[in-house]
Amino acid sequence: MSLIKSLFISQFNQDITHIRSLDSLSAQFAPSDVTPNRKASGSRLHKHHTILMAENSRIRYFREVVVPSNSGSKWKERHINTVASVSTLQDIKVPDSSGGYTFTEGGVTNRFIYWRTTSNVLELVEESLDYNLLGSQIRFHFHDTQIIGGISIHESHGNVIVLVVTAISVHRLVFPHPSKLIKNNIGYTQSSQPLPSIFNYASDLESHWSKYLLNHGGNFSSQIQAAASSQNMEGEAQFALSSNEGSVLLIKMPPLNIQGIVQQFELFKSSMMQKLWTQLVPVAMRGSQGSLESATGLVIHPFRGDTYVFAICRDHKIRVWSTRSLECVSIYNILETCPELKHAPPATGAGHKLVKVMTSDAVNLLLCVHLNFKERNQFCFVQPELQSGRLQHLHVATVVGVAEDLIDYCVTADKLWTLWTNSSGESIARVCHMSGELREGNWVEVILHPSDAGEILVSQHTDPREVYTEKMFQPKRFNLYDIHKALNVYRRSMNATVPSDLDINTLKHEVTEAVEDAIRNSAMANEISEEEYCDLQMEQWSKFYSGVVQYQEVGGKMKGFFVEPNTGLVCIIKKGGLSFIRPCDPIEELYLGDGHWSAEDLNEITLADLRTLGMCLSLIGSKISEDMVVQFEDSLLMKESPEEAVRPIVEDLFFNTSLVEISLDSLGALVQNIHDLPNCLHLVLNSLDLTKATLEDEESDMESEQQLIDGQILTSDSAIDFLTTTLHQTSDTRFRVLRDLLLFLTSTISLGDRDGITPEVSETLYDMIPRTSSLLQSYAVLKWASTKVATVSHSNSLEMNLRLLASLEVAENSGLTNVQKAVSSNVTVAELFIRGIGGNQARANLSRTERILDNTGQLCNWAILRITRSIQFLLWPLNENFLFPEFLASCCQYLPLQEYCFQLNHWCEVNPASRKFMLGLCYLHFGEAQKAAQCYTEAKAGLQTEAFLTQSLLQTDELNPRVLEVLYYLKVIRQFEEFDYADTVVHLARTAISIADQDDENTATLWSKIFKYQLEMGHNDEAYNAMVSNPDPSRRKDCLRQLLVTLYERKDLQTLVGFPYIDLQEEVVSILECRARTVDITTQNYYDILYAFYVTRNNFGKAGAVMYEHGMRLGREVPPKQGLQKQAHCYLAAMNALRLVNPIYAWIVKPSVCTEMQVMSGKDNFNGDEKEDISATKRVEILELEDIEKEYILVDARLELLKQDKSNSVGSGPTPGADEMVGLLVNAGMYDKALTICQLFGMKLTSVFDSLALRCVNLAKSCSHSTLADSTTLTQAWDWLKLNDLPTPGLKESSAADSAWSLLQHYLRVHEDSTAQLHRTVTVRLLSQGFPLPSWMIKSYKELHWSDLLRRYVDYDQLEDAVVLTVEYVDALLWTYTGHDCPEFNLKSCSRPVPQSSWLPYTCIDQLSLALKDMKQDSHYERLAEMLEYKLAIYFQKMRHLSEQILTK
């Protein structure tokens, strides 16, 4: 056997001690009626042990799990004054102590308290593995005294009792029980919020705290050596204190809330003479004899109906007192079990120790005594028994300890946990397995967390600041409180201070600034070289880092063990926190436990082979330098294959003569001792391979599963840290095992036949290399996940991610649906996974086994490893499970997800398409749409093979690959739509269309998307082509509607009307008409588009109809001031369009009132078309060009009125009719417009002339009353006069009145007909106003109809004018008989006697004559009457003469 193998064997057997007894500690379960026969008792106990512990007989290794402590959290400070004398107590020195207690009552699980003491300070911390606790740390300061130890915690009647012993007092501290808080709903909270700790309400129960000052008078006046406390079944608190003089003081405190006095007793020895000697002789006279009997370890425990005080004394004897009788009931010399030590001198120094063995047996009691001698130490297990009414001690077992100083120890039914300090001051934890065969090798070192090195390897081209900050702030590496303390010291060296309560980001900034300041202060010159600056950087960063490491080491000083036998929880209490102890998995035992293998039952040969293989791997691992490790891991990150990455290490370790660490001969010597190397390697690889690993497949127990998930088992921060660190430890260990295994395979193959490596074996080993490489890379991913820091997610990123994932519409059971909250800083992605869906599924897997019910007593021994294994299974990249990448995406962890995909893409053949899809998600999140589209396109290759794409993403049973690809592209397109990547959507949609079958119903959707985004990008022609290519008519019409609306909104009207719209013109018209009639015409005008559309296609009739409808709606719906001008333009456009049409077809159908009202309702049918109102009766009205012109004239007149109307009265209401409009125009003085309307609508002109005549009269009267007319009246007169077409004035400037009369004269001349109706109207108005008729009017009236003028004179009593008019007419008539014309009365000459065509209005003349007769009393009228009578007589005479002439002829 080679030297190397001998070295390994010696290392494997080091620290192995001899176990003095093969009896099992399980003998404590002996029944109470045991017989005095010691031999029989031992046989029965051994048989019971064999049955109970058979299935767990293999030795197990354990490993420390360091979790971040909460020492930086806020402590509740409480001060207790003991009224002690400082001078008396200043020399008292007591060792620190620690311990713990687990709640067992009230249904409280996985919740415990641990404590530690330092001088006069007691720190109590409550921890829970299921819930976070609020206010869980409290610190008690006992002034002017020291805490002796002997602290105990008890549960009693809804309270938690803490018993404390100091040098001069005993105390009972009371806190509420957790179950009591829950019953009072104080502890009810949501799962994401912490529960209140029992210490959170410490101040509420402070009045119930009790204390008692020791009475040091009498015989008990020495220094206290040891102490113990307990509470009996009646609730009485009992304290035992031993002095260095051998006295034991017993103090009984009455039960809580019961009146009573505190009793103090001094326990005496059993001998009557010793009792009298003690009572009668003072301590000073007794000398030091009692010091040999002084107790160095005390235990108080109820047993068989009484409570006893057990003491181990310096004379190696166990003394027992009854607290009821105060008698010493037993003295047992422990050296009787060790004959070779029967002459050992009395113990000195700390002396012996005594503890109870923690079991679930409430009847029997087992004690473990640690005998501390100068040359050796050992543990003796003693079981007290009552035999015949007397207390006796049964020796169960003896275990020889190691040659080191014991700090603390705890004992359970099957394990002895010890904490030692070696000669160099390092703390070492060891466990002795008390089950199975007790043989050499039962002492096993606990694999402790390695201390951090003070130096960090910084490569040449790396910034030291980045390297050191990354190391210091790596999750779970350092406690932030230690960094803060180091920063305080560092700042004080520069006379600066550091604020408290810094978060991690601020702390990182403060550390960087502090070190940079130190670098600047250290620079001696203003300018230094780059090399000098790098040296200063390394110096200062290394200095600061060393300070942090020192504080971590101080806080990591071990103070004691805490073991909970019910759950198997084992903790190491440290000065600055707590660490957990867990069992190692088989690979850790193989690699770290000197080749031990406990994964399965194997024969001895195979176990020996595995042990030798473990030695080989450990040998290789111990020789690999840190530089080699960094180089190897960097090569893997650079996507180099593991086979290539290990070659330089193999060369350096085995073939480089200058650097060789291990010779091939040494390795070959070890390999020769492996009988079946391939089988051995297969066992290890199978254990490492999680690809085909299956979790327990027993039928799921729904109740236990619900308890694990809803009950939040192992969900607190401490438990999550426990699981996260365990995951990192196991993954890192397995990674190193595979790395060393790959080195072993590579180097072993080169051995050849010389060491038994036949060609067949070499070929087998060579075939194992690819699998080993694959497993190595898989564990590299797990290791990366446990160290990769998660990115901090902001609210906007989370919102964007929520939209991105919602667009996928994945299955509910997918990890993408479990959208996470914002990620806090400084956590790893693996921790996030454990806190989220990964931890939930791992607990669900844990519940699917009966062990959750049968092995609750070993929850922490196996549940932690099982949950860790489940999480590793979920993270395993070679499994088809795709939960981890989905989870990363749901947490918005796209940088880690991208890195994850990059690590796997070059070697992992499982789920490559799914990873491509996730990589596309990453690129899309980062705004790289083109790369995302490329990844998505490549990912379609796995649509038929990968479960994530088919089941979670597409959720379809479709088998047609073309249909699957189209559905996939639709999913992908939705993501790009969420972020408005229009060009990418178009590209993907065209790709999908090229793949789809012709009858694929999704093709219409794809064409619609192309149309939509081409239109968004302004590619109008492409959008039009996509629209017409759409096979679905309904979608095509939807696209057409969107095209028309969008182009209109963009004001791209030329393009809108320019498209050919082949086979779509009717739809275009329907859509535009619907839009025109449903939208607000004040903001959107689709009528102009329709008009342009019709004009472009030479459909002028439709164009005219559209513009008329537009004008009509403007008049009804838009206020006049805004709409009249547009309305007028619309009517003009309509008239122009109709004038271009054949006159036969120059007509339109006027929109009926019911249709218009129905249009305004805005109701559409299911196709979006205008809904017809079948209940309304439609009336068809035909409008010709003249009808439209009439409406235009009215609108134009109203426009003119609005220009002049200051009161806005014309602007309200609909457009007036012709009659009303004439009245409005006449009132405004717009006589030209009024006359036009009257003529156009065939109305009489009398109202216009009547108004104008009245204005003339009023204006004339206004001017006649004063020489200068009122300027306002004249201004107003000229205002309305200017609105009309005045006749051209003469040379002489005319006044307003003259202009008005001229206008009236002009109108009469132009518009009067033969009926003289207009003259009559004017005459009536003038005469009714008492205004004389103008001469020009009388003249024109006489020419036109003098008899009508005569009647007006007679009607208005103008008798003189009537007489004159009659006389003139008679004269004119007589004049015509002379052969002359009379133009004044429009009479023609008559040269010969003919029948007269002219006549006299005799009736009117008679009326005139009668009127004159009535006025005969007036001489003037009498003369007028005579004149008239005379003139008529002449006329009558002439008429008779003519008549005779005619008759004679």
Side-chain angles (χ1 to χ4, degrees), residues 205 309 718 757 840 996 1120 1419:
L205 296 177
V309 178
S718 298
I757 306 300
N840 293 336
S1419 59

Side-chain angles (χ1 to χ4, degrees), residues 800 921-930 932 981:
M800 181 176 66
L921 275 180
C922 298
Y923 283 131
L924 189 58
H925 181 81
F926 298 140
E928 299 183 71
Q930 297 299 325
Y981 292 119

Side-chain angles (χ1 to χ4, degrees), residues 679 848 1344:
N679 178 55
R848 297 189 181 101
L1344 187 62

Side-chain angles (χ1 to χ4, degrees), residues 751-765:
L751 291 175
D753 295 334
R754 59 178 181 173
D755 292 299
I757 306 300
T758 63
E760 293 78 10
V761 173
S762 296
E763 185 177 356
T764 303
L765 298 183

Side-chain angles (χ1 to χ4, degrees), residues 234-279:
E234 292 77 19
E236 183 181 58
Q238 299 175 341
F239 303 87
L241 299 86
S242 67
S243 69
N244 58 353
E245 296 296 336
S247 302
V248 176
L249 190 66
L250 176 65
I251 300 171
K252 295 183 178 181
M253 191 175 288
L256 188 66
N257 299 326
I258 295 180
Q259 294 293 331
I261 61 174
V262 179
Q263 297 176 309
Q264 176 175 320
F265 305 97
E266 187 173 356
L267 303 180
F268 300 99
K269 283 54 178 184
S270 59
S271 171
M272 182 59 66
M273 293 302 296
Q274 289 178 339
K275 188 181 299 183
L276 292 173
W277 176 260
T278 304
Q279 290 179 342

